[in-house]
Every structure is written in C-alpha cells, then in structure tokens.
Amino acid sequence: MLKLIKFRFLYSIAFLLLCFQINGQTSNSTDHPNIVYILADDLGIGDVSAYNPDSKIITPNIDRLIKGGLQFTDAHTSSAVCTPTRYGILTGRYNWRSTLKSGVLGGYSKPLIPTDRLTVGKLLQEKGYHTAFVGKWHLGWDWTFKENAHGIDNLNNNFEVDFTQPIENGPMDLGFTYSYGFSGSLDMPPYVYVENNRITAAPDRVTVNVDDKGFWREGPTGSNFDHVQVLPHLTQKAVNYIHDQSNTAGPFFLYFALPAPHTPILPTTEFMGKSNTNMYGDFMLQVDDVVGQVIQALENQGELENTILIFVSDNGCSPKASFPELEKVNHDPSYIYRGHKADIYEGGHRVPFIVHWPEKIKKAKTTSSTICTTDLMATVAELVNYKLPEQAGEDSFSFLPLLTSTDEPEPLRDATVHHSIDGSFAIRKAEWKLILCPGSGGWSFPRTPEELEGLPAMQLYNLDSDPGEEQNLIANHPGKVEELKSLLTAYVQNGRSTPGALQKNDGPETWKQLYWMTD
C-alpha cells in the first residue's frame, strides 16, 4: 500500500510539472537559444562592406555574421532617427503611435514607454531568460530634479539633478534584469553611467566639445565618464555579461545598444587613420571590432552556435560623417539609396540587418523579404512560444519562418510604414512607395521652403526600377496613390497593422486625423 501511495504521489507531481511546462506562459525552458541584439547608431547600409561592393570601409567581423547567417537586403527601421526606432524595437509598435510624433528625446526627457506596456524584455523574462541592457538608452527615464524642470526635451538645456537618488521608469522597469548605460545619445547631457537605476559616479565637471565630428553638448560629466572610452567601456561590460551568464543555467538576452558611429565621432588611437577614409571610417572600423569582440566572447564560452545574434542600425548614416569627405574617396554610406539619417528617403531607414544563428542557419542566405525593426518582437515571441496579447506588438510580424525554412515564404507584411524626423509618413507595398510630403522630411535636399516651392505635395516611386527615388510618378498612377493612402489611413485609424482587435494610438486628441485622410 505504501509503495502504491508513493507511486501515485510521484506520478501526480510529474503530471503537474508537465502541464505547467506545456500550458504555462512562464515556463523556464532551457531549450531556447540565447538572444543578442547589437544595435549600431547612425550606421549606413553602405558602411558594411558585404552590402556595398564599392565600400572603402571594410568590415570583416560584420561580414562574418553574413557568411554564417541570413542577410536582409530590404530591412527598415520604423523611423529615420533613433528614439522612435528604439521604441519600435522594444515594443513591436510603430513609434508614431506613441506620444512622440516627431523628433527625438533628450538626456533629461521623461520615459516614452509606459511601464504597463509589454516589451521584448518582459516577454523573455516571463520565459525564464536573464535579460540585460547595455549602452545607449535614449527612451527617457525619470531623474529627480532639484527644481521644477521646464523644457526637458530641449536637447541644449541642462537641469539641476539630485544624482544621489535612483532613476525610475528606466530599463529595469521595462524588462531588463540588469542594466548599464547612459540616458540619451553620447552628445546629450548628463554624461553619467547608470547601473541598475543608480549612477556609478557623480558629475565633477562640465564638459563640451564643439568640433564638428567630435561634437557633444555642454553638460555635467561623471568623474568616471570619458567620451573617448565610452565605446570600449560598454563593450567590456557586454563581454563580461556574456561570460557571466554563460556560466549559469538558463538562456540570456542581451540588448547591446552602441553609441557609435553617432557623434561624437571619436575613434581610439589604434583605429585613427586605419580606414584610409576619414574619422568616421576609422570609427566604423572600431564598431566592426566591437562586433568581433562580442562574437569572440560567445565563441570562447561555447555559446555562439546556440545564440541568435542580430546586427542592425537604428537609422541611416548622419551627415556628421561628412559625405563630401567620403565622396572624395568614393565611399557612400547610403550606397545606391537617396538621402541619409532623418530622411523619409531610403537612405534614412533602409539599414543592414543580419541574423546569425549557426544552429539553425547552416549556410549563408540572403533574402529580399521586406521587414521592419518592429518585427523583432513577434519573431522573438514565436521563437519562445509566447502568444502576444491584442494590445502588444501591434505592428510586428514574425520573420522566424525566414530563419528556419529553406524556402522563401510568402511576403511577411502587406505593407510597411516609414517615418521621418519631422513626422512625415511614407508607405511601402511591394515595389511601390508613396511619400506623403513634397521633400525629404528630414535634413537632405529638398527641405527648405524655397527648395520645396512648386513640388508636388506627394511622391510615388517604383523601387524595383528606381531604387534611388529619382523619378516621381505621382501623376502617372492615381489609382496606386489612392490605394496606398487608404491602406495607410486604415493602419493609423485601426491602431495596428497586424490582424486583431482595434487599438488606440497615444498622444494628444488633436492627433486624430492626419492631413491626407478624408472624412
């Protein structure tokens, strides 16, 4: 009798554990791969040598990822500038659905992502991952101000902060078990490292650099903060994290957001002059070396085979790289595409996007499937068997089938929405791209009132025949224009571009109907 009772007890425990693993959203499966995002900052599609046969900047480490992974040739960021793109990466939602309708946040700005919104970090925590953020946050968090702070989104303002107090509503409140980095871009004060909600060293000076490439705004600077050494320092933090987590049970997720090659363009001594282009080219080689260090860390720990390593940029190359200087050595950071960072044109948001996963991707592959950085969330969710709720990942389509299948599947997304720094929209479906403004929507020609005078209110391009967006066909295809306008209107009004229940966009009530919508 005692043996029978013992058997039934053990059987019941085993059955309950099995049910929990099958049905539980929070099962801590150790079968899932590690996941590493490396997000470069202001890196153009033409700056990766495997993407640009004419590149004068050779990137062997990034190219190595392509040789053992999947290369996307039609990948896009959800915005042509950094804060909005980072929002989309973590939430799977187009940035313009948030309260930020144009521009970027500053180093003192309030948090853009509410703590009750599902992020990729929270999702993976529920699935048993140890999660970490290292690098440039640029999504806002709450400092403790010593006085009423007005104009905190103005990038040139400084404020009195009580640095003895913890920051709130930052990475650790949005799904990251460990975090280490700084608040805005490397050219936005305050210049202090924050580790797990606390600064690591109080400011002891005010620094500024007005050199065009090495530019950063004046602001309080921590005693351990050296702009030149930020990239090496963060890289060491990322490498240490990989080493530490490789010696523990369970998978890990590392979101490594580089501050480079964004301004200040500050290559360390060993990279100065190495590219034979300019300082930006030298800094690009340092970025490539950082990628190599991450690969080496995973390899040394025996984790490379079972790690999904994703490399992508947050938008196109900045004009601070000095396109005229690079043109003299026949290098174009935007490759064959028009425009650059901030623009609605392809150079603003078409970026290198590489997925390296040796366990599943046995040989190099290239795909022309159109994807967006918002798609990372649904891909990760499908990977770990997590069902996204209706109010999450509203613009995220899983590209996991592209990683695991030998065949090219049907198009993953019906259309993709692009967004520029001034809040201009474009929508892309198959070969057709409709831009709902007369110019670049950003920093390149045409942008001034004089340059825009007399131009059509919208632009239509066939990217198959005209990837450089030179021939505006707006007058030739009125039916296509109306089709794309109607689709974009539906995406805005429905609060989502994926199938599912209608959702509400965030922001002011005045943002109910955009200029192209009809009553």
Side-chain angles (χ1 to χ4, degrees):
M1 177 62 71
L2 187 60
K3 288 183 178 180
L4 181 59
I5 293 172
K6 184 178 181 180
F7 172 81
R8 287 176 174 172
F9 174 77
L10 293 174
Y11 177 86
S12 298
I13 292 296
F15 179 78
L16 287 172
L17 288 173
L18 179 61
C19 289
F20 181 79
Q21 289 178 337
I22 292 173
N23 298 316
Q25 186 80 304
T26 60
S27 70
N28 295 344
S29 171
T30 58
D31 296 332
H32 299 317
N34 306 313
I35 303 169
V36 176
Y37 293 176
I38 301 179
L39 180 64
D41 195 3
D42 288 6
L43 183 151
I45 191 170
D47 293 325
V48 175
S49 48
Y51 275 86
N52 180 1
D54 300 319
S55 178
K56 297 301 182 292
I57 301 171
I58 308 304
T59 52
N61 294 299
I62 302 173
D63 291 358
R64 178 186 171 186
L65 295 178
I66 293 174
K67 292 174 183 176
L70 178 60
Q71 176 185 9
F72 289 86
T73 59
D74 198 1
H76 300 264
T77 54
S78 58
S79 170
V81 283
C82 46
T83 294
T85 289
R86 290 157 203 271
Y87 175 92
I89 286 174
L90 294 186
T91 65
R93 187 182 191 227
Y94 283 135
N95 49 273
W96 42 266
R97 299 194 193 280
S98 77
T99 55
L100 185 69
K101 306 303 183 183
S102 62
V104 300
L105 298 184
Y108 296 99
S109 293
K110 293 287 186 181
L112 183 60
I113 304 176
T115 55
D116 60 355
R117 174 161 283 277
L118 184 67
T119 65
V120 67
K122 291 181 181 179
L123 180 164
L124 289 172
Q125 280 182 330
E126 289 188 40
K127 281 294 184 175
Y129 276 73
H130 190 283
T131 60
F133 155 74
V134 173
K136 168 183 170 176
W137 184 239
H138 208 185
L139 284 164
W141 60 43
D142 285 321
W143 296 102
T144 300
F145 295 108
K146 292 183 178 179
E147 57 187 2
N148 290 331
H150 300 287
I152 58 174
D153 293 330
N154 186 317
L155 307 187
N156 296 307
N157 287 348
N158 276 294
F159 304 92
E160 288 290 320
V161 173
D162 184 353
F163 288 108
T164 66
Q165 298 301 308
I167 65 112
E168 296 180 349
N169 300 316
M172 297 189 74
D173 300 288
L174 291 169
F176 293 99
T177 316
Y178 172 78
S179 69
Y180 187 96
F182 54 93
S183 58
S185 288
L186 196 49
D187 57 9
M188 298 175 183
Y191 305 115
V192 292
Y193 292 117
V194 175
E195 183 171 33
N196 292 342
N197 296 348
R198 292 272 186 179
I199 69 165
T200 60
D204 65 352
R205 66 198 190 280
V206 172
T207 63
V208 62
N209 189 327
V210 295
D211 175 75
D212 190 50
K213 287 194 184 70
F215 163 79
W216 70 81
R217 296 169 181 84
E218 179 178 327
T221 306
S223 60
N224 63 345
F225 200 99
D226 177 349
H227 278 75
V228 175
Q229 293 301 320
V230 167
L231 183 57
H233 179 63
L234 294 175
T235 302
Q236 191 58 56
K237 287 289 182 182
V239 166
N240 290 346
Y241 176 79
I242 290 170
H243 286 166
D244 292 345
Q245 290 307 307
S246 297
N247 294 316
T248 62
F252 62 84
F253 167 53
L254 170 62
Y255 169 42
F256 184 19
L258 311 186
H262 189 289
T263 51
I265 298 170
L266 297 171
T268 53
T269 304
E270 63 184 296
F271 293 97
M272 290 288 287
K274 194 172 181 179
S275 70
N276 294 316
T277 57
N278 68 352
M279 282 184 64
Y280 174 79
D282 298 341
F283 209 26
M284 265 300 308
L285 294 189
Q286 187 171 348
V287 169
D288 182 71
D289 183 73
V290 167
V291 174
Q293 290 183 58
V294 172
I295 295 172
Q296 191 64 56
L298 291 166
E299 205 163 35
N300 289 346
Q301 298 301 122
E303 299 283 358
L304 188 61
E305 286 291 311
N306 191 39
T307 296
I308 299 178
L309 176 54
I310 297 172
F311 177 85
V312 63
S313 179
D314 66 346
N315 45 247
C317 180
S318 168
K320 289 289 187 181
S322 185
F323 279 62
E325 284 183 4
L326 293 168
E327 187 178 7
K328 290 179 181 178
V329 294
N330 298 315
H331 179 79
D332 190 340
S334 298
Y335 183 36
I336 62 173
Y337 302 105
R338 182 177 180 178
H340 49 57
K341 175 184 177 176
D343 293 346
I344 202 68
Y345 298 126
E346 293 292 288
H349 49 80
R350 187 184 288 241
V351 292
F353 194 112
I354 307 156
V355 181
H356 183 269
W357 188 15
E359 188 173 85
K360 296 294 184 181
I361 305 172
K362 300 299 183 183
K363 60 180 181 179
K365 298 193 296 183
T366 300
T367 178
S368 59
S369 291
T370 305
I371 65 165
C372 180
T373 43
T374 56
D375 296 336
L376 284 163
M377 188 172 191
T379 304
V380 167
E382 183 179 3
L383 175 75
V384 299
N385 194 30
Y386 187 106
K387 182 175 175 54
L388 290 174
E390 292 280 9
Q391 68 278 15
E394 294 95 328
D395 303 293
S396 193
F397 296 80
S398 173
F399 57 76
L400 188 64
L402 291 171
L403 308 182
T404 57
S405 174
T406 56
D407 300 321
E408 187 84 0
E410 292 296 313
L412 303 176
R413 32 175 55 246
D414 187 32
T416 303
V417 180
H418 309 306
H419 205 231
S420 75
I421 191 170
D422 74 355
S424 293
F425 283 80
I427 183 167
R428 161 85 181 284
K429 182 177 181 181
E431 71 271 28
W432 293 103
K433 178 181 177 183
L434 177 66
I435 298 175
L436 291 107
C437 68
S440 69
W443 297 337
S444 74
F445 176 90
R447 58 172 293 194
T448 67
E450 294 76 20
E451 292 167 349
L452 296 172
E453 187 175 356
L455 293 178
M458 294 183 290
Q459 305 167 67
L460 180 70
Y461 297 104
N462 184 317
L463 294 183
D464 281 357
S465 59
D466 181 23
E469 297 171 282
E470 297 176 346
Q471 301 297 319
N472 185 0
L473 304 176
I474 195 71
N476 302 60
H477 301 276
K480 182 59 66 175
V481 172
E482 289 307 311
E483 174 196 342
L484 294 176
K485 278 175 60 180
S486 296
L487 184 57
L488 179 54
T489 298
Y491 283 174
V492 173
Q493 292 178 335
N494 294 345
R496 68 184 318 132
S497 56
T498 54
L502 302 188
Q503 298 298 313
K504 184 180 179 182
N505 299 314
D506 304 327
E509 286 298 307
T510 54
W511 200 81
K512 281 184 174 180
Q513 183 164 308
L514 296 169
Y515 52 89
W516 71 84
M517 295 183 186
T518 56
D519 293 332

